[in-house]
Amino acid sequence: MKRQNSQTFDAAEARRLLARGGGRRFWASLEELIDQDGFRGWLEAEFPSAAAVLTEPGRREILKLMGASFLLAGLGGCGETRSDLALPYVDQPEEIVPGMPRFYATAVPLDGCVQPVLATIHAGRPTKLDGNPEHPVTRGASDPFTQAAVLQLYDPDRSQAPLRDGLPATWSAFQDELIAMRRDWAARQGEGLRILSGDITSPTLIRQLRQLLSEFPSAKLHLFEPIGSALRPEAARLAFGREMDFHYRLENCDALVSLGDDALGPGPRQVLHARGWSQRRGESTPGQGRVTMHVAESVPSLTGTVASTRLICDASQLAVLAQALAAELGVAAAPAESLGESEHRWMTSAATDLREHRGRSLLAIGAHLPPPIQALAPLVNDRLGNSGATVWYGEPVRFSPSGASSLADLVRDISAGAVDTLIVLDSNPAYAAPGELAFSDVLPRVRERIHLGLYRDETAHLCRWHLPLAHPLESWGDGRAVDGSACIIQPLLAPLYGGRTAPQFLAMLLGAVDPPAEDAVRETWANAFGGDFDVRWRRSLHDGFVADSALQPIAVTPRPVDIPPRPPRGSDHVDVVFAPDPSVWDGRFANVAWLQELPKPLTKLTWDNVIAVSAKMAEQMQLANGDMIEVAVGDRRVAGAAWIMPGQARNTVALSLGYGRSAAGKIADGLGYSAYSVRSNSDGWLAVGSLRRVGGRQPLATTQMHHRTDGFDFVREVSADHPSLPQETHPQPNLYPPWPYPREAWGMAIDLDLCIGCNACISACTAENNIAVVGKEQVAMGREMQWLRVDRYHTGDIDDPRFYFQPVPCMHCEKAPCEMGCPVHATVHSPDGINQMVYNRCIGTRTCSSYCPYKVRRFNWFDYRAPADSPTHAAHNPDVTVRSRGVMEKCTYCTQRIQAARVAADKDGRDIREGEVVTACQQACPTTAIVFGNLNDPESAVAKRRRSGRHFVLLEELGTRPRTTYLARWNDAPKKDSS
Amino acid sequence: MPESTHYGILAEFKSPETLVEAAKRARARGYRELDAFTPFPVHELDDVLRLRDRRVLWFGLIGGAVGFAIALAMQMFTNFDYPINVGGRPLYPFSAFAVVAFELTVLFGALFPAVGMLAINGLPRLNYPVFAASRFHLASKDRFFLCIKAHDPRFDPSQTRRFMQTLGAESVELVPA
Amino acid sequence: MSLTAEESEHILPPGQSLGDVTDQLARIPLHFPTRRRWLIALALSSLLLLLFFVAVTVLFTRGVGVWGLDIPVNWAFAIHNYVWWLGIGHAGTLISALLLLMGRDWRNSLNRFAETMTLFAVVCAGVYPILHLGRPWFVYWMFPYPATMQVWPQFRSPLEWDIWAVLTYLTVSVIFWYIGLVPDLAAARDRARRPGWQTFFGVLSLGWRGSAIHWMRWQQAYRLIAALAVPLVVSVHSEVSLLFAASQIPGWHSTIFPPYFVLGAAFSGFAVVSMIAIAIRSLFHLQNLVTDDHLDILGKVLLATGLMTAYGYVFEVFDAFYSGGVHEVQTVSDRFFGAYAWSYWGAVVFNFIFLQALWWRGVRRTPWALFLIASSVAIGMWLERYMILVTSLYRDFLVSSWGSYTPSFWDWATYLGTLGLFMVPFLLVIRVFPVISIFETKEVLHDERKEASRA
Amino acid sequence: MTQIFSPAADTWIRLFLAGGAAVICVGTAAVIAFARSDYYTGARIHPPPQPVPFSHQHHVGGLGIDCRYCHSSVAEGPRAGLPPTHTCMTCHSQIWTNAPMLAPVRRSLADNASLTWQRVARLPEYVYFRHDIHIAKGVGCETCHGRIDRMALTYQAVPLTMEFCLDCHRDPAPRLRPRDRVTEMGWKPSEATASGQELVRQYGVRVGELTYCYVCHR
């Protein structure tokens, strides 16, 4: 019957409508669809996932919503919204309250692991992701990648239909071919069948892969992750004779010594580590001893910026340092090379602190250092009794079957002609494979090339079949968080484009026809849960993760390692280090505009990657920022814009991965250079190379041009001998009588001691407040729109500066200069002390911005809204107006959240409770650096911070009486270094 | 003959001095309804012809007062009607209101006398008897005219005309009403 | 400024009869002498005007982003040229009103075109606050009218003050100009032969007949308005300066600003008046009415106002260092050595260095020399306004938000366009109205003749 | 010299001046008035065309169905919500089952496609109005939607201008009614019922704090 319908119903037409993508036009087209006969039948056929969703109570509305409520949902203010139309449900589920957001727990993957999230759904469309407050890893905090996932969901550049030889095809067509292929594989036991995938933690995928490999014994699985866990597995093998994950417990750590281990830097573990570190650092203020951090690194990292002592040494020298430290602590032989004077001083003080804080100290060695060196860390920590306290070891979270082999093996086999079918699972080797392997050259030699991915990327272009992968937010699936706990990924809406999930795809490989998305996952957990499946399944869906599924520590004793001598290095050569990009990671997020426009923490660069060189190097080569230079590693070379990085080791050059994409999408193509091209297979993290100046300059877009703050007191510090700042005892005199704030007086206090500059706040603000992306040229002109900026300053010697981060939102001054300047009452004060910006009253005189001493206001110079038909409008928060051309905007303290709490409180006739209003930046911050609340409530966290001795006001002398204030940073550098 | 048929008699002089002299003698003769037409203001005439009118200045004063009042009322009312906390400033900051108050004082202080002056002078008045006088166009060039209006009790076309000639006028002309 | 020297000797060459002067001046509109040169000038200005309209169209269709603005420098060319034009617009009323009250007869040869210049300079200034808006179509929100929004303008804002100040200034200038023009329109009417001209001047002159009582009331009004105009001029540019001084931005937040701006305005204004005076007198061969003595005096006034402005410069620097505010000092050093130092030193050179030549009587009395110096002052003041805006904004308090500014093509197009917006109507007015006050000139001639006869 | 103008000219020029002045004054007044007129605010003008000629007069006035039966989320959320087709069909599957007039409703159910209504009470997208809080504070439906029970076809009853909202936000008391009376049409206060002032106190209406911008704009 349904099939019949789908006969009468032109599926191709439907797919075209769907694939056409684009804002209202898109939704409208879905509407048209709903009216068409046989849509549901066709839907069953083409979108079992959606159909499954439809039948599942609680999500029934999703598709209808997609058709209908997007119009209702008021893509607030984005162009000529069809506010004249109203489309009710046909059948409204009970729990739906139109206009009220709902929340679902799910997870988004990063590097194979997943980040547990809580998604905000407005009228059936996810608009915001935040860390899952229930989950031990995130506890509600998040990072930029998590925040931006929701924009990627609506990316119109995502591939929208299967392609065969680059021509539109259908899933059915693929499945037809698959039948033949399977017959072929079966005949040859899977000989010549290869599957290439990134790191996998999904129990379902693992189950399915195992099944596949057992069905076709001779088939092979190759794992390739450009970043992943770097060289940790080898290190673990050296130390323990088996693969293990290292887990830090920074919340227990009084003395942390890091050798190039950027524990607080971007990555799957950032939130976990940042929370632990800040918890310890926060506690320590009352006086449970300071956290001392000794960091040795070649390139400034977020961890380095908050260190007590920071030793700058070339990347290759770190190994020697580690060896010396291990020797000092008596777990290894002294290195052949001797240390420099400062290196030795640092090493001894580090060793002392490690010893003094036995059981509460931690030696962390970067996962990209040579495995034998890394293997020293477990020895030291074991010796100091830190194992189990500040670090523990567990089963690898990532799938690492004995049979699995590497990308290099694959390339070798292909060249040997041993591969005739290659299936690429959501991986992009054609772009990200080490240049040395020249993967894209050999790939075409494979007869049958099948690619499953979100985008039609570099690899997809080289494959016969490209199959669109459903976005995690529209998928059924599962995966493990970094702590090993299993998270269930559930769809928040039916696939926008013709995508299928990875488990669905594998099910097809296993012979299923049009497998429903949910089945594979259900099956996995049905096995796991056994009897009380329904209860535990529903609970897991609700919580977003499977209760007590986290991995348990395993008691292991590290074995001593012998360290091979370091290969000699020519004096004219430099250390070339590779690092993931803080905005686009390994390149998978390259087409997400929010991330491209996110100023990178330490350079404040947007839309580009650069070749970071030390000031000395720049001096020697007479380089200025933006000059084109070329890095040569062996016979491979890559050219990029030079960037002078203060505090970088003299002979170290830093390349960041993730740029130089050629088929990422309209946003990312052609930005920056690809560091992969000079990456070697043996060691992808440190190479010996040379530097050469090539002609020309490249314009770079930074959001902050000046970083030296010497002579100004924007950021203040306290230290052991001056533990508190001079506090203002009586308010400054003012010509005018003060305004009363009888009810709430909202205020924010930002602890500079806890800020690690991770940008979570900025990206959360972008997502929450519909902040426009303006593009590289506009950013270069100084027209970026982020309401919240994280200023980065440095003081002292440019070769060894001290770094500071200072988040600067609107100060919400009680005596606001901006308000007094506005001729039309477009920015005025509210009774709870918020500096209101009324877009619809603004005529754009920009006086407010001229008068603002903090320059926190942003102006819509052009119409920065996405084109009316862009699907990205669906990511908009309907509770926040999308600003049109010619109006000023700025941080509102997330007033929509305050109003929501206000209404909730008023409906029950009570006051707003402490913690009831949480701003987006505060919610995302993994270190609780940002605190928001009611200043009139002496018990509120913000009021408490205001009473702290470290409290200070930015530009206090201007008498603007800001509501946003700061806590000074604690300078715990030892006397001799501190200036 | 009825006076209504005449506007008056116009006598033309070469210089302000001669005009003033003539005006004096005319008044001495007892003529009261005198007027003069000159290419530029001749101050002596004001006394001779006993011209006295301070109304224009009063207009200025009133205008200024009105403007000031309007400005102050407007600014205070707007803040009274929708009281908003603007930058923590008071609702009625007179220091800030002073500016617009001053402006409007000047604006109305200038508008009133300007309009008033034209009004009292009965301008615009495009059609006026004297324009009919054959040599009157010289009044805006380099000639100075004395006029004895017809409704002067002592006005008598022939006599007055004769008298005028005795004043050393360049020309004397009877202007029809 | 002591002009007693000029007073005693005649400003106008003797031996000109009232009649000749009347005919000479009234003939200019009636039988226009220099058609060709005038047409060429008009054509060129019309091109500029066209450019203006193109620029404005682009601006309104694409948004104020077509200009080089950014955060922090979100006020630049528009406000800067607004201040510049308004400054120029000040000399007219000053010359006309102030000198009238002070009984300086020499103003009578200059006031008419000075006032005309004022009108159109103020118009040019007036369009900028509208152009620079993000949403110009809502400009009417700045006026208090009973809106259904029930939201009123915000009278604490210097911008709001400015709207009122500029509109008042424009209105009063128009009134003053027209009241002064009426008797001359009558004169032109009486000279006109063609019915067209007769009706034109007839209507505009409102039937003025030069009656003694009319003259008396006319003078009361004229002098009263003049008396009001003088403080008005001072107030208007003081308020313009408050646009900046009312903020806390270093380099703006200074008590010296009001007088500093007013003097600067007079300075640039007199400069442009001198340029126009020289141009007109050569265009219409009015050397007999706009004499070398006039140029001499203009030169002296220029020198005087220039030196006063220079004092402002000195004091501004002193102020910064005296306050000792770290940001104030920073801004001053940015002005001296920063990215836009050229605008500061340019202003100093064009405003004050060339100006010193005016110490020499010979220079003052040489039309082309005076013209060159005057134009250098106009340029100098333009640079000064640029300097005040950009060098203050591009580096304010927080180092992190320091930025830069480069005017875009459309910035320039709009600015050059306003030159056309000024020139075209100005040329039209001097075509149809007497460029020099006829009756006031005659008054001077007559008075001087009397003095001569007395002497 | 002769007269250039006839005496009539004076009359004309004065008429012209007076007329000009008049035009300016009248014109301004007219514009201000127009902004408040029904033509501009859309109040009380003829109802927009709807897929189904739904009559509130019949359902509310006649049958006395409570507003919340169809607009079910009015007290819970920002939007009152339009009834899903199923709600219509609860009755119309029994009565008027094949009235041609109701064909669109039946089709909607059959095709599982939303009915497309024309909004009647429309606010600009920068206005964030919440029904629930107004209901909670005792603002009657009638206050903004008029005597819906007398509307054969639904039209906008009041000018939804900022002025209209502010009148109440500045002085809510006169427009408040007991919570249990919000949906009642033509409700009049009586001695029996609590006065507006009492309700303000009872419901904790924050008089004076309801007129700042962020209450409605974001």
Side-chain angles (χ1 to χ4, degrees), chain A residues 736 739 741 814-816 819 825 828-829, chain B residues 79 84-91 95:
Chain A
Y736 302 126
W739 277 77
Y741 296 100
E814 287 182 10
K815 302 284 180 197
E819 293 178 8
H825 277 125
V828 295
H829 238 64
Chain B
N79 284 282
I84 304 178
N85 173 352
V86 174
R89 272 62 169 182
L91 276 182
S95 51

Side-chain angles (χ1 to χ4, degrees), chain C residues 133-152:
Chain C
L133 290 183
R135 304 203 289 174
W137 51 92
F138 285 133
V139 65
Y140 64 91
W141 284 353
M142 292 181 101
F143 299 98
Y145 69 101
T148 54
M149 283 179 282
Q150 300 216 333
V151 183
W152 300 99

Side-chain angles (χ1 to χ4, degrees), chain A residues 616-640:
Chain A
K616 282 244 169 24
M617 178 84 66
E619 210 173 304
Q620 174 190 327
M621 297 177 65
Q622 283 132 31
L623 290 176
N625 286 348
D627 288 348
M628 292 301 282
I629 52 175
E630 184 183 70
V631 173
V633 177
D635 54 358
R636 294 183 307 280
R637 31 188 92 255
V638 66

